[in-house]
Amino acid sequence: MIEPRVFLLPDLGEGLTEAELVSWHVAVGDEIAVDQPIAEVETAKSAVEVPSPYAGIVAELHGRPGETIDVGKPLISVTPLGSASVAAADDAAPSPTQPEVEPAETELGGSVAEPAASHPEAEAYREEEKAGSGNVLIGYGTPGGHGQARRTRAPKTAVALAEPAEAKPAEDDPTLLRTRVPGKLGAVISPLVRRMAREHGVDLGDISGSGDSGLIMRRDVEAALRTAAPAAEPDEAEPEAKRVEAPERPAESREGRDARTGLAIAARTPVRGVRKTVATNMARSRSEIPEATVWVDVDATALVELRQALKANGGEVPGLLAFIARFVTAGLKKYPELNTRIETADDGSQEIVAFDGINLGFAAQTDRGLVVPSVRGAEKLTARELDAEIRRLTQVARDGKATPAELGGGTFTLNNYGVFGVDGSAAIINHPEVGILGVGRIIDKPWVVNGALAVRKVTELTLTFDHRVCDGGTAGGFLRFVADAIENPTSLLADI
């Protein structure tokens, strides 16, 4: 009997460890080809179609629309077609000089990678890459994909059973151990172990893994939970009658009313996808970054008149955001402290990391929530080139087709909240960046010009910055630089 091949949800990149299954493009019993889209998933970064690395008949769909699937968990099982399965069986057959040993099966239908000089989890990942098509996710492929027939079972392994016959937990399965924790951690761990640590508030950076090469296993997290400070025991000398148990407050009554307010609950919306990422990132920014805010009103009349004059001459004219982006990149060159990031080492020491280049992020509102695409190498672009890239990234973000690379990697963020009709906002820094510049709406206001009142086009600029990397002098200098460029745009726009 031909065993189905199990395709695990691949590594999505950018530290993403899970995805929501939006819809299936295939059904059980369908015949599919290599690289045929089988499902649409939504990550915290974007919505992407997942192509199949295998050809054959769909045997099982592991999940329903709306469910969240961890990286490394089964997505779909495919039974190879006749000719492909024969070729795969020949490929998987052991040599005459080597005895055939049945592989150690895992809960995911895979097998333990054969022993080698390298780590077993790395071998397992390489074996899956060899079986892939080279096009696992848009922008994230596996090497060696040429559409050829692949082996339908993992290589035979000779594994010495040194431990008692005990069910091996899925989270210790090497086929799952192939994603890295973003940031300071270098140990490879299972998404399930990572979730367990997150749910119990365990800092993985404080754990020494007991697995090969310091691999963090489920037992390590459980040990950390056992050694955590236990709940205070009641004083044995205290009379039993004096001990008062805190009443348990029901979260919700059976009638569907909120126990705290007494109001009927109209709806419950799971926090996931982009909203979940925004919530987590903003909470982390507020808790970790000692931020400060400075702001200034700016006379944007000259900039508005410049655009109108360019329009009158015909041709494509950059938007106001592109002009301001051009001023921001020039300002960051002069004040590079705001184009940095703070990294914390395992021993608690910190470093300010400076960059040779600017990836300018800009906030874009979409139907899926607020996202921050970034213009790579923004300091090299003219205002027209910035405008074209901002428009392109905004469109792919709103279509839900932006790649994780396009929605990450920013070094400074520009936020044009003036489009919502507001004047100012003390924005939250987009962690792990150290600064964000907000631009309010441009409106007519009375303004003193050469000692006389006049009606001018005025906007408010607001800079929120990480006080660990610079002081008010640097922040104020950068803000004043951008403000002066808006008031006298021709000084910086010779290249437009």
Side-chain angles (χ1 to χ4, degrees), residues 31-389:
E31 180 178 338
I32 60 175
V34 172
D35 286 345
Q36 176 179 334
I38 56 175
E40 182 180 3
V41 299
E42 181 179 24
T43 71
K45 299 287 188 180
S46 61
V48 295
E49 287 186 332
V50 182
S52 172
Y54 309 131
I57 305 298
V58 177
E60 185 177 357
L61 304 177
H62 300 279
R64 293 173 294 181
E67 290 184 358
T68 298
I69 302 177
D70 289 323
V71 169
K73 295 290 285 183
L75 181 64
I76 190 173
S77 295
V78 180
T79 302
L81 297 175
S83 59
S85 62
V86 172
D90 293 339
D91 187 280
S95 64
T97 60
Q98 295 177 337
E100 180 174 336
V101 181
E102 286 302 315
E105 295 296 329
T106 69
E107 290 185 31
L108 300 181
S111 62
V112 178
E114 57 185 314
S118 59
H119 302 311
E121 59 270 9
E123 281 298 317
Y125 188 32
R126 280 196 290 272
E127 285 302 325
E128 182 171 338
E129 284 185 324
K130 293 175 185 176
S133 69
N135 190 23
V136 176
L137 279 183
I138 298 174
Y140 293 88
T142 56
H146 303 291
Q148 301 171 353
R150 308 274 180 190
R151 65 182 67 180
T152 58
R153 57 190 297 187
K156 302 295 183 178
T157 60
V159 181
L161 302 178
E163 298 182 357
E166 180 180 351
K168 186 175 182 179
E171 47 268 49
D172 290 352
D173 185 344
T175 60
L176 292 180
L177 307 176
R178 58 179 203 272
T179 54
R180 292 186 178 271
V181 177
K184 62 182 179 180
L185 295 179
V188 182
I189 61 173
S190 155
L192 298 181
V193 174
R194 206 175 314 154
R195 171 175 286 184
M196 179 181 180
R198 182 173 64 248
E199 291 177 348
H200 291 85
V202 176
D203 186 354
L204 293 172
D206 297 333
I207 297 179
S208 297
S210 61
D212 293 341
S213 300
L215 194 69
I216 299 177
M217 315 294 279
R218 184 179 67 172
R219 58 178 175 265
D220 300 321
V221 179
E222 292 174 342
L225 291 174
R226 288 194 298 270
T227 57
E233 295 292 334
D235 190 351
E236 294 298 332
E238 183 182 2
E240 191 70 29
K242 290 186 179 181
R243 299 174 191 166
V244 179
E245 295 290 339
E248 183 177 350
R249 187 182 71 179
E252 180 184 348
S253 65
R254 294 182 180 179
E255 290 75 18
R257 290 186 175 274
D258 178 57
R260 176 177 171 272
T261 63
L263 298 175
I265 296 176
R268 290 183 179 273
T269 304
V271 179
R272 58 193 182 195
V274 171
R275 179 52 54 195
K276 179 179 178 181
T277 300
V278 170
T280 302
N281 201 35
M282 295 300 99
R284 185 176 181 184
S285 178
R286 281 294 195 200
S287 64
E288 293 185 11
I289 299 177
E291 62 186 32
T293 304
V294 290
W295 60 92
V296 64
D297 288 336
V298 182
D299 180 3
T301 305
L303 179 59
V304 173
E305 291 176 346
L306 173 64
R307 279 197 79 238
Q308 292 173 346
L310 291 173
K311 280 185 176 181
N313 293 332
E316 192 89 11
V317 179
L320 287 173
L321 186 63
F323 283 116
I324 298 175
R326 181 72 179 83
F327 303 149
V328 168
T329 57
L332 291 175
K333 287 181 180 180
K334 186 173 183 180
Y335 298 93
E337 297 92 334
L338 291 167
N339 190 53
T340 60
R341 179 179 68 231
I342 283 191
E343 288 186 355
T344 303
D346 293 339
D347 61 1
S349 61
Q350 293 183 326
E351 291 181 333
I352 298 177
V353 181
F355 303 107
D356 183 16
I358 300 170
N359 291 346
L360 184 63
F362 61 95
Q365 191 68 38
T366 72
D367 293 339
R368 299 172 60 247
L370 185 69
V371 296
V372 185
S374 60
V375 179
R376 306 245 165 180
E379 78 284 0
K380 303 174 184 177
L381 304 181
T382 66
R384 282 197 172 91
E385 292 169 337
L386 284 167
D387 184 70
E389 186 64 0

